[in-house]
Amino acid sequence: MSIKENLLAVTNTIPNSVTLVAVSKTKPMSLIQEAYDEGQRIFGENRVQEMTEKWQKMPKDIKWHMIGHLQRNKVKYMAEYISLVHGVDSPRLLAEINKQAEKHNRVISCLLQVHIAEEDTKFGFNEEELLDLVANEEFKAFKNVKIVGLMGMATFTENMNQVRREFASLKSLFTKLKSNYTDFNTLSMGMSGDYKIAIEEGSTMVRIGSSIFGSRN
Ligand SMILES: *Cc1c(COP(=O)(O)O)cnc(C)c1O
């Protein structure tokens, strides 16, 4: 199937209220352009250098999302243009994003990554750390970052009941925080293998790569 057909097949299964991030990591600009030509404007990448190269060369109305684990020393390279950072997983990273955003006179939207999977290889806050962070006065004073929601990845497993349970727990945390933080509007959960479940459990943003661009090496 072509990118066009893949994209259509995916968008046909996503309600209008859910935002699609087309995950283009490792994929060449020619394929991104194909998706762009079909109207897709949001792309997700997980390496700053690769994303920056694509940003420089591709149409300027693309919104680039950083979806992977982000090192603090890389923030400066994307601060000028990044549209949303999905995986903020430490207070120090948030502080660095704030600092670099200030240099460009920008307010960078961020999602806090929550650890919902059972594997300990996946990054993110636990519930207690998260509640501490959003209540922290030092962070509330940051003027150049805006925390707009949460992001999570479910366990890599065939057990879809478990995946559903993990998404449901993230959604309930999101709902709890949303009542206190008016900027909260985005719940990023769901990838090619589990996005339908994620949407059923309340996702507002799905990150889909291989179902659109084919599998990665
Ligand atoms: C690679 C990646 C995706 C997309 O995965 P697919 O299974 O190809 O849809 C989504 N989210 C994150 C954080 C990723 O790193």
Side-chain angles (χ1 to χ4, degrees):
M1 289 227 292
S2 65
I3 302 274
K4 178 179 178 171
E5 288 168 315
N6 289 344
L7 195 59
L8 201 63
V10 167
T11 51
N12 276 339
T13 56
I14 298 178
N16 286 334
S17 55
V18 174
T19 303
L20 171 63
V21 179
V23 176
S24 50
K25 61 188 183 193
T26 79
K27 298 296 180 182
M29 288 181 249
S30 57
L31 296 189
I32 300 176
Q33 186 67 45
E34 281 186 45
Y36 180 91
D37 292 341
E38 295 308 315
Q40 181 65 27
R41 289 294 180 273
I42 304 177
F43 293 91
E45 293 278 335
N46 69 344
R47 286 172 196 248
V48 175
Q49 192 182 341
E50 181 182 339
M51 176 171 65
T52 301
E53 228 179 281
K54 289 171 173 172
W55 164 68
Q56 284 164 343
K57 294 183 179 153
M58 298 209 62
K60 286 293 169 285
D61 61 342
I62 289 180
K63 291 189 161 83
W64 296 99
H65 286 197
M66 179 66 201
I67 62 164
H69 180 65
L70 178 60
Q71 289 169 316
R72 273 179 292 137
N73 61 3
K74 300 283 170 60
V75 174
K76 56 178 176 286
Y77 302 112
M78 56 173 221
E80 181 183 350
Y81 68 88
I82 193 72
S83 169
L84 179 64
V85 183
H86 287 237
V88 175
D89 61 357
S90 78
R92 293 169 76 199
L93 177 59
L94 191 64
E96 177 65 14
I97 297 170
N98 184 62
K99 179 177 150 191
Q100 297 299 335
E102 192 178 0
K103 291 185 184 169
H104 294 277
N105 253 315
R106 297 189 66 214
V107 177
I108 296 180
S109 293
C110 295
L111 304 176
L112 299 175
Q113 183 167 359
V114 186
H115 186 272
I116 53 171
E118 73 181 11
E119 301 116 338
D120 41 299
T121 52
K122 289 192 178 127
F123 300 96
F125 297 101
N126 65 34
E127 177 165 350
E128 193 188 335
E129 292 166 334
L130 189 71
L131 296 175
D132 280 354
L133 179 65
V134 293
N136 184 308
E137 294 301 330
E138 184 191 343
F139 290 106
K140 280 201 234 170
F142 283 169
K143 296 215 165 10
N144 298 84
V145 287
K146 185 159 109 171
I147 298 174
V148 296
L150 304 179
M151 177 266 204
M153 289 167 84
T155 303
F156 187 70
T157 173
E158 304 275 288
N159 183 345
M160 287 302 150
N161 288 326
Q162 179 178 354
V163 169
R164 186 178 292 282
R165 216 163 43 235
E166 291 171 356
F167 285 147
S169 75
L170 186 55
K171 164 72 180 186
S172 103
L173 194 52
F174 178 73
T175 305
K176 196 154 133 187
L177 289 169
K178 198 176 177 349
S179 58
N180 283 313
Y181 300 93
T182 48
D183 288 336
F184 263 56
N185 54 32
T186 302
L187 179 56
S188 168
M189 59 183 196
M191 322 188 354
S192 292
D194 56 19
Y195 76 89
K196 288 176 188 166
I197 299 176
I199 291 170
E200 285 167 12
E201 296 304 327
S203 171
T204 71
M205 184 174 276
V206 290
R207 309 174 309 268
I208 300 181
S210 45
S211 292
I212 297 170
F213 295 109
S215 57
R216 292 175 298 270
N217 297 327

